[in-house]
Structure formats: structure tokens, C-alpha cells
Amino acid sequence: MANQAHGNGSEQDRARETAVEAALGKLDLDTKARLLGGQDMWSLPEIPEIGLKSLVMSDGPIGVRGVRWTADDPSIALPSPTALAATWDPALARRAGALLAQEARRKGVHVLLAPTVNLHRSPLGGRHFEAYSEDPYLTGAIGTGYVQGVQSGGVGTTVKHFVANDAETDRFTVNNIVSARALRELYLAPFEAIVENAHPWGIMTAYNQVNGVTMTEHRYLVNEVLRGEWGFDGFNVSDWMAARSTVGDIKGGLDVAMPGPQTVYGPALAAAVRAGEVEESEVDDAVRNVLRLAARVGILEGAEPVVTEVPGEIDGESLAREIARRAFVLVRNSGVLPLRPDAKVALIGAAARDARVLGGGSATVFPSRIVSPLDGLSAAFSSLTYAVGADPSDELLPADKGFELRAVCRDADGTILGEGSLPNGQVQWLGDDLPAGVTHEALHSIEVTGTFTPRESGDHAFGTRGLGAFTLTVDGTVLYDGVQPMGDEADPFEAFFGAPLERGRVTLTEGQPIEVSLRHVLDTSLEMPLPAIMFTFTHLGPRRAEDELIAEAVEAARDAEVAVVVVATTERVESEGFDRTDLQLPGRQDDLVRAVAAANPNTVVVVNSGSPVELPWRDDVAAVLLSWFPGQEGGDALADVLTGAEEPGGRLPTTWGSFAAAPVTGVTPDDGQLAYAEGVFIGYRAWDRSGSTPSYPFGHGLGYTDWAYESLDVTGTTATVRVRNTGARPGRETVQLYLSPSESDAARPARWLAGFASVEAAPGELVEVSVELPRRAFEIWDETTNSWSHQPGSYELTAGRSLADARVSETLVA
Ligand code: BGC
């Protein structure tokens, strides 16, 4: 058990501070400066003289990848952060965090680079799936549970990305112009709540600027607000490659510049002190923060870690499944769900077979197994057929299903230096993450080689992604032998993550293995910020005519009692590094749903996306279930809720609506600036103001039983709600409380979430729950006095099933 997960000023804290000061006192300037810069992609240098081990960090947030980007070292993959927020359950987020601490310890990781608590300002945000909600209170509550959980296992967190990193376009440079009021009431609010309630040991400062100052150098927001006003005493690490100025960063409160070995700290920082540009005491402040973290996680000799006894073992697969089903949001149900296990089911959709379980970018982890909807439903239903229906991706993807690949590394003479196993066709070796026996100095070429056993007969396309010389050989035929030069992008990372190129097609037979090889000769002339080997062997299976696929699915649906269609976004739609351009489902998926629904009235659509997509056919189908990116156990969780073994427990953490009606969408800077001109009106606050009705409101989500709200009483700031399960089966309800000023004030949102709680009840049972309304619910940020201002007056408090489904209300005077 944790003996003390957080809290300041305890005897143990004081003992740790003493150890930190003693260690600091023994360090010379050069060593201190060196400690503040990464030694590689993920860690800080060890300093044996003071008994300090190397501090290791890793992404985050749905799993712990570890220091290697490979399936050799698998991780539990939990559902996407949007899914975790959809549970509206901080206690479950805490359990997720505790599991991740267990994963981190298993992998030798001391600090998890998570949670992401930026807000869903625009639905176009590319990392929307990786953040929790459009509401700061819900975000803060889920983030608090998560941080408490991770730290209860003795592992640190970095709450990120501080602050206003709400979109990806030009993320390294964009200057977000945000009013003080919107910053305080929206974007800073989750960070503040987490600092207050979970006492995080770390924070990550963002790439972007806020009001003209880049966040790694934002002295006011970091030193004055975060550390000064809120009392944050953790360490502040830059987002990867965000630190750009030695003097600006150290004075702006940045403790650690990542990654290394080339950073703006280290020798450059020591030199700045010697040149009189930086006080040594400023370096000491940063070192103190790093040593305090090291003490907390137990890698500073002589300091007792915060957690001395490792908590009991948690079953990751079962928790992943539980979170997934608790997160699924049933937004529509004509009564078709739940299904009988002996119902004749036609399962349709590319993502039903090749499930999209997680979002792309730094949040990627490699689970040891993935339960697809096809796997999960095949086990749960006695009669099931499968049809692809529509394949949303017509791009070549990293060679995966059917491929058995390894990477053979050779020197310039062709001598084998070593071999690495590969989870798929993607090679991504950063820093010293190389196969055993291989060094950057000796490495000349890498051959991705092995076999491919096609799942379908027909024309298979093969290709490459990346820069440099490639020789691609499939089944004895050289499909390509040439050099891919750097294009206009000028950024080698962009080139790696860019579009794959088709290099040729080969006609193959289902089930018959063939030999494949992609040889890549490194281009040493490319300037990279750190040693990096990144290229991909790509593949695309036979493409059948789209109309033919849809017709086949319609046929399957017609023959079945129920059609379950899984629609999805792709990695080219939702990932890190870019924003979306619209909210449509890619490919012919909308046509597919319409055709299937016309053929079978019992059509259930499962939406496998991390963030909102338009569902233009939503009123023409029998049920719509949002599954988010459901994590590695998603298919079994889907079977749980479709069969009714479990209720779908999620409520929307973000409004779902069409792009045309969405009130705040802009993510593209104008002349380098992105104005948050809507002020405090984002999400449902903006939908309320615009007067338009979204497809599904904030907080919406159905279960399998019914609820009556019998009363709401307010005493002081405590609201007590009584709800009765009026249905026929046990259930769980998320009681939501919204506050609105009785007299409308154009400067304030019409209403906002002021509290929530989950209750469970048996059929007929009445349960009572009390919710404490937070002080902040009655305050606004006053820009003239630069302080919080209590807003007295009369308020209407409503309790209900969603923002749009208020059941009981009460007037109160604040
Ligand atoms: C992301 C961070 C992540 C870091 C390390 C960055 O690109 O913005 O969220 O923690 O990379 O992978």
C-alpha cells in the first residue's frame, strides 16, 4: 500500500528535502547542468557520486510503452482518454492509473508522460482522442483520479501539455491568443484542479506559445501561476524538442529539456552561468525539482520513496475490458439492444476485423494481443457472418497482418551486425534503441525481411515510406530499386510520417506464403535532431470494387436478424502531428450504413473513433454505440454490452454534432496566431450560446434500465439527489448537476457542469447521493483585479441524465 501518495509538509517530505539539499550541495555546476538535459530519448543521466540513478520517462497515456518502440516489449493498451472520460468515474481513472504504475515499474519507468488534459476546443483537434473532454471540471476530475492512481504506485506523472495545446496545426510555433478569463476558467482549470487534488510530481510544458511567449519559457504561467499561486512542487519537463533557448527556458521555469543528448541545457547552461546570463541559484532550483522527483520515485540514495510497499497485482486485461464497456456510449437504442446470444448476426466493417484500438503518435503502445469485434462477437454469438462492406483506408499501411518480419542490420561490407524482431513493417529506432550488437557508427543498411501469407487472393500492392535508398523485393521480383530524396517538407520526421508510396503490385494466392524483403541504405547526409532510423515497409491487400463490397454486406444483412456495422476513422484521420479537416467518416462508410439499414431494420452501428464524427444516418438505424478507441480488449467488451451481460456505461464527455453546426472549429493559425476569440464559450457552452442543437448533447448516454429522479435538495453547497431504478435490471446511473444563473448574463455561459456522481441500484431501488458543489462553480475570473470573483445571486441547479435531459431542479442563492 501507499504510505503516502501525496501531501506536503509531512515528516517524510521534510526528510526527502534534507536528502535533496544534501545531494545538491555535492554537485558542481557542470554536473548540475548535465542533469537537466536528456542523455537520450527518454532518460536523464545517472550521477553515481550522489547515489542518483538514471530517471526514465515514457508515454503515456493509455499504456506504458517503455524506452523501446517495439512489440518485443508489449504493454497493456487501455481505451483512449476520451473513453476514460466517458466513464465519468474518477475512481475508475484511479484504478487505470494504478495499473499503469504497475506497467511502469515492470518496464523500469519512473515517470509516465501523461495525462493529457488539454481541452476539446475544436472537434478538428488531431489529438482530441488523447484528451478527456470539452469541460474543464470533468477533465480535472478524471485527471485527478488518474494522477492519484499512477502516483499511488510510486510512479510520477507529467500533466500535459501546459497549456492551451488544443490543436496540432503548426504546434511548434503557433501563438495562441487566449484571454486571461478563458485561460483561468477553461484551459488552466484542469491543471489547477489536479495540482490541488492530486499533487502531481511533474508537468510537461507545451510546444505552443500563449499570448506571445512560448510555453517552455513562460515565466508568468509556470513560475507565478503554477508554482507560485498553486504551490506546484514537481518538475517541469519540456515537450520533446520544445526547449529552444538556454536562458529563456531556465528563467521560464523549465527544469528539464528533452530529449538528448543535444539539448539547450548541459554544457550550454553551464556556459550561460559562467557568462553571467543565468544565476547558479536558478540552476539549483531546477536541480532541486529533479532531485525531489528522484527522491519521490525512489532513485536517490538516502531518500525514502513516497511509496514503499508495492500495491497488489492488478489484472490489466480484465481492467482494460471493464473500462471499455464502462466507456461505451449508447447514444441511440430503439430497443434492439441488448441482443440474444443466439441472434443471427451479420457483422460488417473493415474495423470489425482490423480493430482500431488506439490513436496514433506518441500515445502508441504495442499490446500483446488485440481482441477485435470479430474475435469478441464470434465467441459471444452462436451464429455470425462477416463482411468487409467498406474499407475506409485506400492507402498502403505498415505491413502487418500475415507478415512475419525481422530486421537484419549490416555494416558497409555486408557483415551482419545484429538482428531485431519487428512487430510490423515499421522501423523506428530512436537514439540508442538499436538491436543488440548494432551501433549507429557501423550501421550501413537494414533489411526488413521475412514472409507474407496473404489473407486474400488478388493484386497486393507493396511500397515504402521514408527517405533514402530502398530495394523492394517481393516473391523474387525486384519491385523497386531507387532513392527517395527529401522533398519540400525539410523535416525528416514529416517525411517519415508522410504518405506511403506504392512501388508495385504482385498477384498472390490466399494462404500461400512468399518471401519479402525491403533493403534500406541509410542516408547519412540527413540532419536529424537525434540519431533516428525511421522507414516503413508498406502493403495494401487486393481492392475490390466498392459497390461490390457494399452489395455483399447488404446481402449478409438481409440474411441476418441483426446487422452490426463497425465504422471507424483511420490513422490518417486521427493522430498526433496534424488536425482533421472535417468530421466525416472516411471512404464509403456512410453509404454502407445507409444501404445496410435499408436492408435490415435491426441495424446497430458501432462507431470506432476517438473523437466526434458525423453520423448523418443516425436516425435511420436501430442503435448507435460509440466505442471510442476501445483498447486491446475492445472486442470482448463489445460482446459484453451487445449481449447485455453488461450495460454500456458511458456518457458523452464532449458534444457530438455536425461540423457545419459546430460553434468553435478553427485550428489554423492566421499569420502564426490562433485567436481563441470565443473566450469562455467552447463545447456545450458554445452550443448553448449558438442556439443550434447538436446530434447528441454533452452528458448523453443510455443504459439498459430506466431512472426516475425523485428529488433534489440543496443545503449550503451540498446537493442531494434521490434516483430510483424504475427498470427491470440492475444499473448504474451518472447523476449530473448543472448550474445556471437565474438572470442571464451574456458574458457567462448559460449553464455549466457543477458536479456529478455515479450510483448503482437494483430494480425498484431508490438511492441517494450527495455532491459537493465546488467553490469555482460560483466564481468567474475578474480580469480587472486579476483574481477570482465570487458571483452572488440566484442560481438554478438541475440534476439530470444529460445537459439536455434535466429531471429535477432547485433554486439556490449564492
Ligand atoms: C508529444 C508528447 C509526448 C512526447 C514524447 C511529443 O511529440 O507531444 O505528448 O509525451 O512527444 O513522446
Side-chain angles (χ1 to χ4, degrees), residues 321 325 328 369 371-373 375-377 379 632-641:
R321 181 170 176 169
R325 66 179 184 243
F328 291 167
R369 68 168 201 170
V371 184
S372 69
D375 299 330
L377 302 197
Q632 66 174 62
E633 306 296 317
D636 277 341
L638 185 62
D640 290 342
V641 304

Side-chain angles (χ1 to χ4, degrees), residues 257-333:
M258 287 300 290
Q262 300 301 326
T263 74
V264 295
Y265 286 172
L269 182 58
V273 173
R274 292 197 174 100
E277 295 164 341
V278 170
E279 298 290 332
E280 188 159 352
S281 64
E282 293 173 298
V283 175
D284 287 352
D285 286 344
V287 172
R288 211 172 262 124
N289 292 333
V290 174
L291 292 176
R292 184 178 305 119
L293 172 69
R296 284 173 166 161
V297 300
I299 57 167
L300 178 64
E301 216 172 83
E304 189 180 37
V306 173
V307 175
T308 46
E309 259 175 72
V310 173
E313 183 79 9
I314 302 166
D315 178 344
E317 289 177 1
S318 112
L319 184 58
R321 181 170 176 169
E322 180 181 343
I323 295 172
R325 66 179 184 243
R326 289 279 310 279
F328 291 167
V329 183
L330 183 59
V331 290
R332 173 182 171 82
N333 186 10

Side-chain angles (χ1 to χ4, degrees), residues 174-357:
V174 61
N175 179 15
N176 293 325
I177 307 297
V178 197
S179 71
R181 186 166 170 198
L183 267 178
R184 295 290 185 150
E185 294 183 25
L186 298 178
Y187 302 100
L188 288 170
F191 289 95
E192 184 185 15
I194 295 167
V195 168
E196 181 171 338
N197 300 314
H199 195 60
W201 302 343
I203 201 111
M204 183 189 289
T205 34
Y207 291 123
N208 52 279
Q209 302 178 34
V210 170
N211 299 329
V213 183
T214 200
M215 278 312 304
T216 52
E217 300 172 33
H218 216 302
R219 201 185 172 113
Y220 169 64
L221 288 177
V222 172
N223 283 348
E224 293 183 33
V225 176
L226 172 70
R227 291 196 187 280
E229 288 179 32
W230 304 346
F232 170 72
D233 70 356
F235 92 126
N236 168 14
V237 62
S238 70
D239 199 345
W240 266 229
M241 292 186 288
R244 279 156 284 198
S245 154
T246 303
V247 176
D249 284 323
I250 197 78
K251 289 191 180 293
L254 182 77
D255 301 322
V256 169
M258 287 300 290
Q262 300 301 326
T263 74
V264 295
Y265 286 172
L269 182 58
V273 173
R274 292 197 174 100
E277 295 164 341
V278 170
E279 298 290 332
E280 188 159 352
S281 64
E282 293 173 298
V283 175
D284 287 352
D285 286 344
V287 172
R288 211 172 262 124
N289 292 333
V290 174
L291 292 176
R292 184 178 305 119
L293 172 69
R296 284 173 166 161
V297 300
I299 57 167
L300 178 64
E301 216 172 83
E304 189 180 37
V306 173
V307 175
T308 46
E309 259 175 72
V310 173
E313 183 79 9
I314 302 166
D315 178 344
E317 289 177 1
S318 112
L319 184 58
R321 181 170 176 169
E322 180 181 343
I323 295 172
R325 66 179 184 243
R326 289 279 310 279
F328 291 167
V329 183
L330 183 59
V331 290
R332 173 182 171 82
N333 186 10
S334 65
V336 66
L337 294 181
L339 305 172
R340 294 185 335 275
D342 64 351
K344 192 170 180 227
V345 175
L347 178 63
I348 295 163
R353 185 175 65 173
D354 298 326
R356 185 113 201 274
V357 300

